[in-house]
Amino acid sequence: MLKTGPRLIKRSLGRILVDAGLVAEERLDKALQEQLRTNKHLGEILVDMREILPADLDIVLSLQRDLVIPEQAVKLAAGVRKMLGELLVHAGRITPEQLEVALKEHKKTGEKIGQVLVRLGMATAKEIDTAVEIQTTMAAGPEQSTRLRLGELLVSARYITREQLADALVRQKKTKKKLGEILVEGGIVDAKAIVWGVRLQEMLVRAALIAALSLATMPAADVAEAGSVSTTMHISAVVLAHADLGIIKQPAEFVVTDADVRRGYVELNGASMIELKSNSRAGCLLSFSAHGLPFQETSINIMGRTVVLGPDGGLVTLPVLGRTTVELSYRFVLSPGTEPGTYAWPFTLSVSPLG
């Protein structure tokens, strides 16, 4: 049976900024260290460090959820017309040298370039399918990537109003001039704002391209429902005759940062608080049903002891008689290849009496 895994709800802010080229990897590392020390928001730290502009941050934050929905990521990536091989080079999936080898093989055999890249082990079939989908979306016209069009970015950054954009687009249809040219000639913005918008557009299209190809390499179950995840937590508890479970607090999602990926685990102290009721002197059995976790194991500190669960979850016996409030802390040991980002909470709890 196919497992439905913890779904990536938001691509991590740091990953998007690095993919876009807005922040260097080493500067992100410094910001993450500062975040651990101060517990401030990463974006706030990067603005304070003058690594990014507040307007850039606002726009990137508005894209976080779209970049884990394959269809939306493809639309956002379809900003610049490129050949299939160029798309993969632009995303850092293959090197220019690998593309050159593949093109020579393509000329020799007559195979499609995508087939050559797959045969040579330079790309996966899913990556090629995604790249082709991006090309198809590009051919459909600029409407497909509306959110990253220059005018939309300028409105988001409050350089122009929605009314000014509408007027400029009308004039663009009549004159066939570039939108930026019309806005500068009309005295609505200066050339610096246009340079900023074009630069940010190119960077975010690259980040979207990397995100779309990254989603192509993830198991389908991990991304299939990413666009429909609610931030409201729904816990299905199995309530039997003499045992009951109540969720006092539990996160609807958890974050895997770049720093977590590097150290190999996520630590969540006091993340859950539950109320257990049992009239059995033997206690109760607490079940952790996991949803295809991206973890090698999970250590749970509960009632003064540490229990280690495998990737499929597990059972914990607890000496509960009557009503007891229990706090749970977690350490998720990440599996290789886990992506940084925001995931839906991966456990469903249920309880049954012992004896």
Side-chain angles (χ1 to χ4, degrees), residues 201-259:
Q201 181 186 51
E202 182 178 345
M203 287 178 157
L204 293 181
V205 165
R206 182 174 186 272
L209 172 61
I210 292 172
L213 292 173
S214 176
L215 291 172
T217 64
M218 293 174 64
D222 288 349
V223 299
E225 299 180 54
S228 61
V229 174
S230 169
T231 56
T232 301
M233 186 62 190
H234 297 284
I235 298 293
S236 58
V238 178
V239 182
L240 301 181
H242 296 90
D244 196 10
L245 165 69
I247 305 295
I248 298 173
K249 73 164 186 173
Q250 183 154 273
E253 57 192 41
F254 68 102
V255 176
V256 177
T257 67
D258 295 82

Side-chain angles (χ1 to χ4, degrees), residues 61-130:
L61 289 173
S62 74
L63 298 175
Q64 270 189 292
R65 290 185 183 273
D66 284 347
L67 292 182
V68 297
I69 304 171
E71 296 82 3
Q72 293 300 325
V74 165
K75 287 181 180 180
L76 290 170
V80 180
R81 293 180 183 273
K82 291 182 182 292
M83 300 297 288
L84 186 141
E86 292 177 323
L87 278 175
L88 296 172
V89 171
H90 191 54
R93 278 299 198 245
I94 63 173
T95 65
E97 292 75 20
Q98 287 176 315
L99 176 57
E100 187 176 345
V101 170
L103 287 171
K104 288 180 180 178
E105 189 72 7
H106 159 68
K107 289 180 181 178
K108 185 169 69 173
T109 66
E111 292 176 277
K112 292 181 178 180
I113 189 68
Q115 293 174 324
V116 173
L117 289 167
V118 172
R119 177 166 61 80
L120 296 179
M122 296 177 180
T124 67
K126 286 185 177 180
E127 287 176 320
I128 298 302
D129 288 345
T130 300

